[in-house]
Amino acid sequence: MRPSDIPGKLPGAGLGLGALAWGASTELNYALAPRQCLTPWPMIPIFALILALIAAAGIWVSVEAWRQHRPLPSPDRPEAGVPEKLLAGIGVLAGVLFAVIILLQGTAGFFLNGCE
């Protein structure tokens, strides 16, 4: 299998990885908030950046799936009803939304240190 074949198999990767990263970010924010007060370095923004990069990886896979040029199948074929391009577009947009939300939640760690 060539690396260029992988993105076509996962057009909704931005949606899946973005949601997974956002869920992990939310759980980490709650788990690390009491510990944030005890450490001198900002844990929550660092983890938010890492998880936003994971969401960005899903966006990249969805963008690559969107860019693949495949001929449209004839309407009588079973694969004619597979909306891969639509799913790739939703994956890109949802992935961007999840990455922005993760970064916005992470910026709170710069202003709130957990000791409030």
Side-chain angles (χ1 to χ4, degrees):
M1 180 179 345
R2 296 183 327 236
S4 61
D5 293 337
I6 295 172
K9 309 288 186 221
L10 301 169
L15 179 63
L17 279 178
L20 184 70
W22 175 62
S25 173
T26 302
E27 291 298 319
L28 276 173
N29 288 344
Y30 284 118
L32 295 177
R35 291 167 182 84
Q36 180 72 35
C37 182
L38 304 174
T39 62
W41 55 282
M43 292 187 305
I44 292 175
I46 291 171
F47 283 115
L49 183 61
I50 292 168
L51 290 166
L53 289 174
I54 291 172
I59 296 167
W60 178 78
V61 172
S62 291
V63 165
E64 290 298 316
W66 174 271
R67 288 183 180 169
Q68 283 188 345
H69 298 291
R70 285 187 291 246
L72 291 174
S74 64
D76 59 340
R77 305 275 307 164
E79 61 269 7
V82 180
E84 290 179 5
K85 198 131 180 138
L86 174 66
L87 184 58
I90 291 171
V92 170
L93 295 175
V96 168
L97 179 65
F98 283 123
V100 168
I101 290 170
I102 291 167
L103 291 173
L104 286 174
Q105 287 178 340
T107 57
F110 287 122
F111 305 106
L112 304 171
N113 62 3
C115 301
E116 288 83 24

